[in-house]
Amino acid sequence: DAGVTQSPTHLIKTRGQQVTLRCSPKSGHDTVSWYQQALGQGPQFIFQYYEEEERQRGNFPDRFSGHQFPNYSSELNVNALLLGDSALYLCASSLDLLTSAGEQYFGPGTRLTVT
Amino acid sequence: AQSVTQPDIHITVSEGASLELRCNYSYGATPYLFWYVQSPGQGLQLLLKYFSGDTLVQGIKGFEAEFKRSQSSFNLRKPSVHWSDAAEYFCAVGALTGGGNKLTFGTGTQLKVEL
């Protein structure tokens, strides 16, 4: 049973550029959440997707956007990159709330470095 | 809004000694509580969870946690620590609001194990 997978593993971008990160959820999961983890901090919730729609959003600017595809995989897009966007980006998948209570499984993350 | 406090940034224990990591949460309703572990450069692995029922929950790798509503705490314990337990530990509260189930994490406790 494949767990949550993310690509790429590492990424280096320049300020002002745009980046797309990808996530495939655990088999059978239909909900995908994205988190940003800055160095030495706990993960911070960016947003959550269910049925191809953004269901909930954290305190992140509109430069952060996402998408969920019919196969439940997801992308995180960040525009106009800032140095402060350097972080580990974690994807987590879960079952819909009707069948679970929020138990989320995390992927290994994508390490984004903005120079 | 929900929040999590992990008062200990670093903890050092000797191998074979007992361990307790502290977690305090703030949430208006009955919380869903989680402990995750993160090895360097890796994603988060779920150790255990509390949804309802028995306030003492058992997890993987010999860990357990006790939910104490009166103290708003969910401390993680292990009777005998192994060197491989050295990692960062995150406590999280799940908030079922706005149709979503986002996790709010503490800042983490770094565990060092002395041989």
Side-chain angles (χ1 to χ4, degrees), chain B residues 35-66:
Chain B
W35 275 99
Y36 285 86
V37 61
Q38 186 177 37
S39 297
Q42 301 297 313
L44 284 80
Q45 181 182 23
L46 179 65
L47 286 176
L48 47 77
K49 58 187 182 289
Y50 171 78
F51 290 161
S52 64
D54 192 349
T55 57
L56 184 64
V57 294
Q58 303 296 322
I60 62 172
K61 304 184 180 185
F63 286 93
E64 67 178 25
E66 186 171 12

Side-chain angles (χ1 to χ4, degrees), chain A residues 15 20 52 83:
Chain A
R15 277 178 297 176
T20 298
E52 303 180 50
L83 294 179

Side-chain angles (χ1 to χ4, degrees), chain A residues 2-59:
Chain A
V4 180
T5 60
Q6 293 186 243
S7 63
T9 305
H10 295 88
L11 205 51
I12 300 175
K13 290 288 188 177
T14 304
R15 277 178 297 176
Q17 286 187 319
Q18 177 264 342
V19 68
T20 298
L21 311 182
R22 295 175 177 81
C23 171
S24 291
K26 181 178 170 67
S27 178
H29 284 184
D30 55 12
T31 302
V32 173
S33 304
W34 287 92
Y35 293 81
Q36 180 196 65
Q37 186 179 19
L39 201 61
Q41 300 295 317
Q44 298 287 318
F45 176 77
I46 302 175
F47 42 54
Q48 185 174 85
Y49 277 84
Y50 171 69
E51 291 190 340
E52 303 180 50
E53 292 193 358
E54 183 182 290
R55 178 159 69 177
Q56 195 174 20
R57 188 179 184 91
N59 188 26

